[in-house]
Structure formats: structure tokens, C-alpha cells
Amino acid sequence: MFAELILAQIGSVAEDCTWNGIPLYGEVQVVESLPDIRVQIVESFPDLKVKQVTSFADSCGEWTYVTSFADFTIQFVDSFPDVRIKYVESFPGLP
């Protein structure tokens, strides 16, 4: 049972909109290797709803894509993600 509790916490987005202590908002850089977070894009049952914004990405799920000086880096994967996201036009954040 203890192992189940640990596994349930790994890979899930916390209520304060963080993953392993990384806030899931701000400036994001897409990389091909050694990411902070491995992300899979899904249409149903996301861990986080993401809205792409051009400025002031300071709320949960608001991401601005940059090429340098990012708050965190992501790598898009097809399997074994750390976080599953769904792109939305409104109401980003936790589902």
C-alpha cells in the first residue's frame, strides 16, 4: 500500500499547479533531450489544461513558448509522460 501512495504522487500535478516543485506556468522551452518535464498532448483526461499566451503567463496552465531563458523545459513524448496536457482556448489550469 505504501508503494501505491508513492506511485500515485509521482507524475501527478499538485493542487498548487506544480510538478515536482516546478510551477506549471510561465516561459517554456521545447527541447529534444534532457527536459525538466516530459509532456504528452491528449484530448481527454489531461493532468493540466494549457493555454498558449504571448505575455503575462502568470496563472496556472498559461504557457509562453520561448527559445531561451525559460522557466522550465519540456519534451513532447508519445508514451510515458510526466504530465498529460490538453490545449484550450479558455479556462486553463487544473481540470
Side-chain angles (χ1 to χ4, degrees), residues 39-86:
V39 172
Q40 180 180 17
I41 300 171
V42 297
E43 286 300 316
S44 56
F45 305 109
D47 298 320
L48 181 70
K49 295 184 289 183
V50 173
K51 179 179 180 183
Q52 186 175 347
V53 297
T54 56
S55 60
F56 303 109
D58 54 4
S59 294
C60 183
E62 292 182 348
W63 291 6
T64 300
Y65 288 100
V66 297
T67 56
S68 59
F69 305 109
D71 296 322
F72 61 97
T73 60
I74 64 170
Q75 177 183 13
F76 290 112
V77 296
D78 293 324
S79 57
F80 304 109
D82 297 322
V83 176
R84 294 178 307 273
I85 67 167
K86 177 181 180 179

Side-chain angles (χ1 to χ4, degrees), residues 19-34:
W19 182 84
N20 280 356
I22 300 170
L24 295 176
Y25 54 87
E27 296 181 341
V28 181
Q29 181 177 359
V30 178
V31 296
E32 294 297 321
S33 61
L34 301 174

